Amino acid sequence: MKNNKILTPERQIVLDTETTGMNQNGKNHYEGHKIIEIGAVEVINRRLTGNHFHVYINPERQVDPEAFAVHGISDEFLKDKPLFKTIADDFIAFIDGAELVIHNATFDVGFMDYEFRTAGIDFVTASHCLVTDTLAMARRIFPGKRNNLDVLCERYQIDNSHRTLHGALLDAEILAEVYLAMTGGQTILSFSHEENSTNHNVAQPLPLEKIQREQFNLKIIRASEIELEEHAKSLDKIDKKSGGSIWRK
């Protein structure tokens, strides 16, 4: 599939999947297992729009007991659900050209691309979407610590008490809040009553009034060469511990 869309990273899709299990011994964890649920929510200008994609999928195989214990999705529940190939076009239309925000993106994108290949669909996610891995982000921010979704909710004081089992749509909504907290700024997640799945009612920015400060004659003091060298050494230490400082971006 040729990518004719312009990537629009200001349109973010926070996404999660549930699967029949994972191959513990194989090279690729997704081979032999299938996606059974996809949940994705749209964020524009750091606000949930109300537009989302959610579907359960018949994997044409049994769910592993270990996976069922995590998400509670049974074989009986999935037997009348659509196959991946029948929902693939709608799914592609929803994510194509956007920035995908996923926790442990290698896992979900690996499954997605495996499903596309198995269905005979020429779509490679990373060629059509920007992919942001919040697990990799969390490991840079909190090196050496646990960084699963529940732990991040606790760190950022996000209420996930309603999350008794994993569910793709619920986890995507929680991850959206975690991601916005991780990236700073206010997180405006409530929907307006007028918003629906086809209309993005995003709040418009207020006009800014420029304040004239000509009366202030401020003296600019530049850093000396020695000070710049010491600053660079400090950034080197930060980079070594954190994997990259924001001051060098």
Side-chain angles (χ1 to χ4, degrees), residues 41-56:
V41 295
E42 183 182 62
V43 175
I44 295 179
N45 292 342
R46 301 184 62 81
R47 177 173 179 165
L48 285 170
T49 66
N51 194 16
H52 69 275
F53 181 91
H54 183 225
V55 65
Y56 291 100

Side-chain angles (χ1 to χ4, degrees), residues 23 40 60 108 135 137 162 207 224 238:
N23 186 0
E60 297 185 292
D108 298 86
L135 178 58
M137 288 177 58
H162 50 306
S224 68
I238 294 173

Side-chain angles (χ1 to χ4, degrees), residues 1 4 18 22 26 29 36 73 87 109 119-120 123 131 136 139-140 146 209 221 230:
M1 177 182 292
N4 294 319
E18 299 297 341
M22 56 167 37
H29 54 254
I36 58 175
I73 302 174
I87 60 91
V109 172
F123 186 91
V131 179
R139 285 172 173 168
R140 288 194 297 270
R146 295 173 60 224
E209 180 182 355
I221 301 176
E230 291 300 318

Side-chain angles (χ1 to χ4, degrees), residues 39 41 45 58 60 79 87 113 128 138 202 221 230 246 248:
V41 295
N45 292 342
N58 182 349
E60 297 185 292
K79 69 179 183 180
I87 60 91
D113 286 346
H128 292 258
V202 181
I221 301 176
E230 291 300 318
I246 61 173
R248 277 186 165 147

Side-chain angles (χ1 to χ4, degrees), residues 19-24 28-35 59 61-64 67 111 114-115 118:
T19 67
T20 58
M22 56 167 37
N23 186 0
Q24 299 290 346
N28 295 317
H29 54 254
Y30 44 84
E31 290 186 353
H33 283 285
K34 306 294 289 295
I35 294 175
R61 60 150 292 160
Q62 290 186 324
V63 176
D64 278 4
F111 267 103
Y114 177 66
E115 291 281 10
T118 303

Side-chain angles (χ1 to χ4, degrees), residues 9 11 23 25 61-62 69 72 74-76 80-81 95 103 108 110 112 133 135 168 184 202 209 214 216:
R11 179 175 181 263
N23 186 0
N25 299 316
R61 60 150 292 160
Q62 290 186 324
S74 68
D75 299 325
E76 180 68 21
D80 62 346
K81 301 301 182 286
I95 66 172
H103 202 66
D108 298 86
M112 288 158 53
D133 188 348
L135 178 58
V202 181
E209 180 182 355
E214 288 82 358
F216 296 102

Side-chain angles (χ1 to χ4, degrees), residues 101 133 139 154 178 204 208 243:
V101 178
D133 188 348
R139 285 172 173 168
E154 183 177 350
V178 168
Q204 297 300 313
L208 299 179

Side-chain angles (χ1 to χ4, degrees), residues 58-229:
N58 182 349
E60 297 185 292
R61 60 150 292 160
Q62 290 186 324
V63 176
D64 278 4
E66 296 84 359
F68 175 76
V70 172
H71 51 60
I73 302 174
S74 68
D75 299 325
E76 180 68 21
F77 175 78
L78 294 170
K79 69 179 183 180
D80 62 346
K81 301 301 182 286
L83 303 180
F84 181 88
K85 63 183 179 182
T86 66
I87 60 91
D89 287 344
D90 289 339
F91 182 42
I92 289 172
F94 189 74
I95 66 172
D96 198 3
E99 177 185 5
L100 303 185
V101 178
I102 306 171
H103 202 66
N104 193 10
T106 302
F107 180 88
D108 298 86
V109 172
F111 267 103
M112 288 158 53
D113 286 346
Y114 177 66
E115 291 281 10
F116 288 131
R117 290 196 305 272
T118 303
I121 299 170
D122 182 18
F123 186 91
V124 178
T125 304
S127 298
H128 292 258
C129 307
L130 300 176
V131 179
T132 295
D133 188 348
T134 51
L135 178 58
M137 288 177 58
R139 285 172 173 168
R140 288 194 297 270
I141 298 170
F142 306 105
K145 296 183 179 181
R146 295 173 60 224
N147 288 296
N148 62 45
L149 194 54
D150 287 331
V151 169
L152 291 174
C153 285
E154 183 177 350
R155 284 196 191 122
Y156 288 106
Q157 298 181 335
I158 293 169
D159 181 16
N160 66 338
S161 57
H162 50 306
R163 185 185 189 238
T164 55
L165 288 173
H166 287 235
L169 185 59
L170 174 60
D171 284 1
E173 292 171 346
I174 293 174
L175 180 58
E177 194 166 355
V178 168
Y179 170 75
L180 293 174
M182 289 174 67
T183 53
Q186 289 189 324
T187 61
I188 305 173
L189 295 180
S190 58
F191 307 123
S192 72
H193 292 296
E194 293 77 22
E195 287 170 342
N196 55 51
S197 61
T198 59
N199 185 27
H200 303 154
N201 292 325
V202 181
Q204 297 300 313
L206 295 175
L208 299 179
E209 180 182 355
K210 184 177 180 181
I211 300 175
Q212 302 298 327
R213 297 188 182 275
E214 288 82 358
Q215 68 272 28
F216 296 102
N217 186 17
L218 300 178
K219 184 178 179 180
I220 298 175
I221 301 176
R222 307 282 182 186
S224 68
E225 290 296 326
I226 295 176
E227 289 171 329
L228 290 174
E229 289 178 5

